[in-house]
Amino acid sequence: MKQDMIVILDLGSEENARLAREIRALGVYSEIHPHDITLEELKALPNVKGIILNGGKNRVVDGVAVDIDPALYECGYPMLA
């Protein structure tokens, strides 16, 4: 049996590694992935139980806010932003 996983999507935060460590300290496996992951790539990951969108001061690049693929909002996984 594979362990359940929380996916952290990097939207410009400097705290991704700390967040992943804190989640793992609670006994839940987590992985950090870039904001531009596709729905197909996300669904290929094993045992995803939820997604955390982790933004920060680096979220705006060249005046445009970084965001995820709109299809991910409808993927059915619980999401925390």
Side-chain angles (χ1 to χ4, degrees):
M1 182 170 98
K2 295 194 179 216
Q3 190 172 10
D4 293 343
M5 177 172 49
I6 297 294
V7 173
I8 301 168
L9 296 183
D10 180 7
L11 294 170
S13 176
E14 296 176 347
E15 299 293 325
N16 292 316
R18 185 186 64 75
L19 179 60
R21 279 192 305 274
E22 294 292 332
I23 292 169
R24 291 174 190 150
L26 296 171
V28 179
Y29 181 66
S30 62
E31 287 184 1
I32 302 167
H33 289 273
H35 73 278
D36 59 354
I37 190 171
T38 65
L39 180 58
E40 293 76 27
E41 292 169 330
L42 180 68
K43 288 191 173 201
L45 298 173
N47 293 352
V48 174
K49 298 300 180 189
I51 301 168
I52 296 175
L53 304 179
N54 195 28
K57 67 179 184 177
N58 297 320
R59 184 162 184 195
V60 178
V61 178
D62 294 331
V64 178
V66 175
D67 201 1
I68 63 172
D69 179 349
L72 294 179
Y73 289 114
E74 304 295 325
C75 69
Y77 294 115
M79 194 173 294
L80 174 68

